Structure formats: C-alpha cells, structure tokens
Amino acid sequence: MHNFATDTNWAVSEFADAELGDERRTKRLVELANALGQHPTAALPEACGDGGMLKAAYRFFDNDAIDAQDMLQSHVESTYRRLEHVSLVLAVQDTTEGNWTGHPATQGLGPLGHTACQGLLVHTTLALTPERVPLGLLAQQVWARDPTQVGKRARRKQLPISQKESQKWLHSLDAVFTARDCGPTTRLVRVGDREADVYDVLAAARPAGVELLIRASWDRCVQEPERYVWATVEAQPVLAHLILKVPRRGPQPARDATLALRFCPVTLCPPRHRQREGLPAVALWAVQVMEVEPPTAVGPIEWLLLTTVPVHTVDDAIERVRWYACRWGIEVWPRILKSGCRIEARQLATSERLQRCLTLYSVIAWRVFYATMLARAVPEMPCDVLLEIEEWQALYCAIHHCPTPPEEPPTLEQAIRWIAQLGGFVGRRRSDQPGTETLWRGFQHLSDLTRMYCIMRPAPP
C-alpha cells in the first residue's frame, strides 16, 4: 500500500508514456489531463481557462490520428506498476451506458436499452485491492450498437461469441492475462456479475495466477445427483452466518445484512445447444449466500458464486463472498464519471471525439475514486503521495486561515477530509468518511486555491 504513489504529478504519471505518433500530442494530453482534472465537473471552456487551451482541447479530441486505446494504454501501464506492490488484485468489470440522447445531432451513436435512447456502451475492467482501493483501469471497450440488429435477440444462440456483445468478457479476460504477464508476482481474480456467466469464459484456458469469481445467472446442468447447480448447492447444509455491510443504493439506506452460507464443489456440463463444439466440462466451487430476515420493501441478497479458487473451509467461502462484495466499486466509478465528470453533458458532435474525451475523463474519474479509497486504506500515509507540495500547502493555509504551512505534509486522511470540506463535507463525527461527490467538488476548489497561493506566497530569499 505504501508504495502506490511515487510521482506527485498524476497527469505525468498516467499519460506521459502515451504513444500518439507525435510527442506534441502526448504533451497536449498531459496538459489537458492537468487542466480538466482540476475542474472535473466544469464545462470545457471553464475547465480550460483560456481560449488557447480550449481550442487545443477541441483540436485534440477531433484528431482522427489519435486512438483512444493509445491514450488509455499509458494509464494501463501505470496501473501495472501499482499492481507490482500488491499480492492479490480483483479485476472487476461492468458495462455502463453513456447516454447522449439529449444531443441528437451527435453522429455515430447507437441505440441503448430503449431504442429512443442513443449513446455508447462502455465496458471497463478496474483493478481493485481487497481493501477496495482502485489501482487503475486494465481495459476499456467503447462501442455503439448497430441499429439494424435491434430486435434480433432471439437469434443470438446461432452466432459465435466473436459476433456478440458477450465477446467483451473474453476481451476483458485477455486484459487480465496481460496484467498477469506484466506482474508475475501478483495473483489476479477476475470478478463478474451475472452477465459475465458465459460458458466460454468459464471454460477458457487460464495461466497460473489468474482465477475467476462470477455470480451465476444460469441454472446450468452439473455432474451431480441433483442435476442442476442451484439444487446441488441448496442441498448442502448452512455452515455459517456472516455479516455483510451493504452500501446505500438510491433511497435504500446502508445496512448490515446477515447471510446464510453454503458451499460445495460442482462440475458444470457444456450447454446442450453447443454439443457439437466439444466444449469441456468445468470443475468449480459454488458458494451461496442468502439474506436472513431482510428489511421489508428491500430486495434480499441472494448470490450464487462460481469460482476457480478452491473453497475448502468456511473461511475460504467467506473470503470469496467478501471479494465479490468489492465489485460494488465498479458501480461507484461510473457514477463519478457521469455525475462528477459530467461526461454525458459533453457536446463534441461525433462518437469518435466523445470516445477520446471519455477515455481522458475515465482516468480523471479513477483518480477521484483512488484518492477517496486510498485515504481509507492507508490514512497515516503523508499526503504528498497524492498532492503536489503547492497543493497541500495551499490547502493547509486555506483551512487554517494562516499564511505559513508546516514543513511536513499532513496525513492523507486529514488532507482528503480537508479537500472534501471544500466540497461541502461536514463530517460531524470522526467516523464519517468523505464520499466521492464532495471530493470531486473539493478538487475544483483546491485548484483555484493553489493557483492563488502560488501567486501570493512570498518569493524565497
């Protein structure tokens, strides 16, 4: 944990190695990351600050010679370096919708869940520690659905996976393999929700050090007396109860859920409609948790998890459940991207420009999330692992209404609370933790404070 951050200029750390065909493009990317990262919520004219930078931003996003994946790759390689310091990493993934229906003139969008909604689909793989610190993005796919294929869901079984959206799960798995190659001492567990219950993924050959943890969606046939996976697991006795902290979701408050735990080994049979393909049977472990006496009007937690990681004891099963609970982190990141970075408010006329903009703001959203969770995981770390010296000095002086900062930086926990305080965090109790919303607002104020601090501070003797 204490070796995560070494270069305090985050934009240089994440984007300076981007190979965009011209060093000037890479330099511009770093400058844009710095400018937009200081004002994640602001519109481009406000975030850029002057007409020259704004014009450069529009030119950058409009440059067809710049591939969004090349922009992202520099950040991915920085993520690999952070992975080197961690023994276990959870590669969680999810698909979110970028909805630009309100900008009908934008070209290159496709239908979303409803044909009246237009936008892009974004499938992201995020590296998390078991302490829920996001180390960075490992992969991201962005695409628009073909409007001519809407309403043809019934024929999906006739298509190979390479021609279906399900291929995103295999693409994500390949990204995890690459991360393992770049960090051979790190064990990676690929975590997916019910949509990731794809037999091709379960049956895929994996290198040593890469495991799977997927929430089951299909009641698959198994080589057990009960014949189906759900019946097989439910035939097992309840071996333990555990308490799981469920975060707030919309109007539902956070709560502690009591879960009954079962587990057993299972061997999945290949889908019947694919018998000609000669797919192998897959030996896994199944872990089931069911909420006991859930609150009224709240959907109870019921997870059936399939994993390649052996589950021999109750402690093993509990650990797998807690790993899956970390998947909630991939739902926080798109909320930062949409509400904090206001990606769906960006008006750039074409999907290609939006994809370049989306890639940049995806990393900015990660940085806000990273700051939030790193402060919770290692609160006593000095804040200069995250903030430049002028930033933490300006922050200290503003909070304490004094002209002179201390010689040593405050702790990361204290600095993050102060930044959140700039964004409206009250924190009446010491146990209250700043959230991402107050942090992204606070980072905007910190940028203005730092600029004024650098102007007003006395010149060195």
Side-chain angles (χ1 to χ4, degrees), residues 32-44:
L32 283 174
N34 262 321
L36 304 186
Q38 291 173 0
H39 299 88
T41 305
L44 287 179

Side-chain angles (χ1 to χ4, degrees), residues 20 72 80 87 106 111 141 170 180 196 201 318 334 383 411 417 424:
L20 305 181
L72 182 67
Y80 293 159
S87 60
T106 304
Q141 286 178 276
L170 292 176
R180 168 65 180 177
V201 174
I318 292 174
C383 70
T411 66
R417 290 180 72 89

Side-chain angles (χ1 to χ4, degrees), residues 10-158:
W10 77 273
V12 172
S13 298
E14 305 307 317
F15 290 115
D17 293 331
E19 297 182 2
L20 305 181
D22 190 313
E23 291 183 0
R24 291 170 295 180
R25 296 172 186 163
T26 303
K27 181 181 178 182
R28 181 65 69 193
L29 174 59
V30 172
E31 291 173 347
L32 283 174
N34 262 321
L36 304 186
Q38 291 173 0
H39 299 88
T41 305
L44 287 179
E46 180 184 351
C48 290
D50 62 69
M53 178 61 79
L54 178 62
K55 187 175 182 179
Y58 283 131
R59 282 182 173 176
F60 183 89
F61 294 138
D62 189 40
N63 192 336
D64 291 333
I66 298 174
D67 191 311
Q69 288 299 316
D70 293 337
M71 295 169 56
L72 182 67
Q73 187 58 36
S74 178
H75 166 72
V76 170
E77 291 172 2
S78 293
T79 301
Y80 293 159
R81 291 191 287 271
R82 286 184 283 270
L83 262 59
E84 293 175 356
H85 305 289
V86 185
S87 60
L88 175 68
V89 170
L90 306 175
V92 302
Q93 60 223 276
D94 200 11
T95 304
T96 188
E97 296 179 348
N99 191 330
W100 282 276
T101 305
H103 308 300
T106 304
Q107 300 176 4
L109 303 179
L112 299 176
H114 192 284
T115 54
C117 298
Q118 296 288 304
L120 300 172
L121 294 169
V122 184
H123 185 77
T124 304
T125 304
L126 184 68
L128 287 171
T129 70
E131 295 80 19
R132 306 192 183 191
V133 176
L135 303 182
L137 277 63
L138 294 176
Q140 187 174 77
Q141 286 178 276
V142 183
W143 72 97
R145 283 193 177 121
D146 185 348
T148 64
Q149 298 301 310
V150 174
K152 298 183 179 181
R153 185 185 180 112
R155 61 187 288 264
R156 69 183 185 276
K157 289 186 177 181
Q158 303 171 14

